[in-house]
Amino acid sequence: MPTRAVPALLAVAAVTALAASAGAATPGATAEKVSCAAEKKAVSKATGKKKTTAKRQLKRCTDVNTANKKTLALVKGSHFVAATSFKQEDWTFCANGKYSTATTSGGSTGRSTGTQWRTADATYKSAGTFTVILEDPKEGTSVGVARKGGKWMIGVSRSFGEIEDLIPATRTAATDC
């Protein structure tokens, strides 16, 4: 092997090692990105009233992606605490992707932890009025957070972005991330 090739091979090896170590890092909390490809295709193929309908559907799709991003910025790095007469919630969602949830009810506590969560199925009107599902599809964890009139609320997430049993919560900055 010629001596000129050795430095080039070392440079390639260094770049590969650097990329591998960067890829090993935790990606952090993310916003779910819904594909709007079918809606874009429908807009380009449609004419007349069907085109207007297709444009509305495309806007709805892109609005969901925008809402997921905006709500991610509002909830990452949060610690939520809520209590009712029959249960107590203590949830932490860190910006680096780590999370932990603890729900105490009937004398027992259920816990979930993970290293990668995302926002999904968000609806966003303003920073003071939105709903969002915080989920970890890999672990099967899915909880709901809402802000109505500037007040934080948390609850049980259901299918299609619905949140049930909303209870008032206190939000503070997450400190144990």
Side-chain angles (χ1 to χ4, degrees):
M1 177 181 294
T3 56
R4 291 183 301 210
V6 173
L9 287 174
L10 289 175
V12 169
V15 168
T16 304
L18 182 62
S21 68
T26 303
T30 60
E32 178 185 40
K33 180 145 173 59
V34 178
S35 173
C36 299
E39 288 82 356
K40 286 179 185 178
K41 187 175 180 180
V43 168
S44 66
K45 289 188 173 202
T47 59
K49 288 184 179 181
K50 288 184 179 182
K51 186 165 192 133
T52 303
T53 302
K55 284 182 180 180
R56 272 193 233 121
Q57 290 173 342
L58 176 60
K59 182 170 180 352
R60 277 190 216 118
C61 183
T62 56
D63 286 350
V64 168
N65 288 332
T66 302
N68 285 341
K69 288 178 191 174
K70 286 182 178 183
T71 56
L72 173 65
L74 294 169
V75 298
K76 69 181 178 183
S78 295
H79 178 229
F80 298 101
V81 177
T84 65
S85 59
F86 59 94
K87 72 178 178 179
Q88 184 174 0
E89 306 281 1
D90 188 354
W91 302 348
T92 302
F93 290 90
C94 303
N96 64 8
K98 293 182 182 178
Y99 70 90
S100 67
T101 63
T103 301
T104 303
S105 180
S108 62
T109 302
R111 297 184 188 279
S112 294
T113 59
T115 58
Q116 193 171 359
W117 63 275
R118 68 182 183 185
T119 56
D121 295 325
T123 58
Y124 182 90
K125 290 185 181 180
S126 70
T129 306
F130 65 86
T131 62
V132 63
I133 305 297
L134 309 180
E135 65 178 18
D136 180 354
K138 183 178 172 185
E139 298 293 327
T141 302
S142 181
V143 295
V145 174
R147 193 151 187 217
K148 295 184 180 186
K151 296 182 181 181
W152 291 95
M153 303 180 86
I154 60 176
V156 178
S157 69
R158 299 290 181 215
S159 58
F160 306 112
E162 295 175 6
I163 303 172
E164 291 181 351
D165 303 328
L166 282 171
I167 57 175
T170 303
R171 183 208 172 268
T172 57
T175 56
D176 52 349
C177 292

